[in-house]
Amino acid sequence: MKHNIIEINEEYIRLDNLLKFSGIVATGGEAKLIVQSGQVLVNGEVCTMRGKKMRDGDKAQYGDKIAEVAVI
């Protein structure tokens, strides 16, 4: 599995932006499609809300790729 830690200096990052910034998807449109079709797990559970607020320690998984949020 590929595990990326994405450091942010805000309280949270939206799920679609996390997927884009981590390189899991190339575009926001692609993020929207995979999230809304139920292909993304957030902390181990299916999430279909692309605007979900991802906070420190939260993990998003798509296939064998994981992005974890770290607030700095």
Side-chain angles (χ1 to χ4, degrees):
M1 279 203 181
K2 185 175 178 190
H3 190 122
N4 289 338
I5 296 180
I6 304 303
E7 295 180 342
I8 61 171
N9 59 6
E10 306 280 329
E11 181 183 346
Y12 64 88
I13 183 172
R14 286 174 35 135
L15 175 57
D16 55 354
N17 287 332
L18 176 64
L19 294 170
K20 192 168 52 172
F21 293 142
S22 68
I24 289 177
V25 297
T27 66
E30 185 181 354
K32 176 182 175 181
L33 289 174
I34 67 167
V35 171
Q36 289 181 337
S37 65
Q39 298 180 62
V40 176
L41 300 179
V42 171
N43 299 327
E45 297 183 10
V46 173
C47 179
T48 57
M49 298 172 12
R50 66 187 172 119
K52 173 154 181 64
K53 294 178 180 176
M54 302 291 290
R55 301 178 190 277
D56 192 43
D58 285 343
K59 295 178 185 174
Q61 180 177 347
Y62 174 61
D64 65 347
K65 299 174 187 154
I66 297 173
E68 180 176 348
V69 178
V71 175
I72 56 171

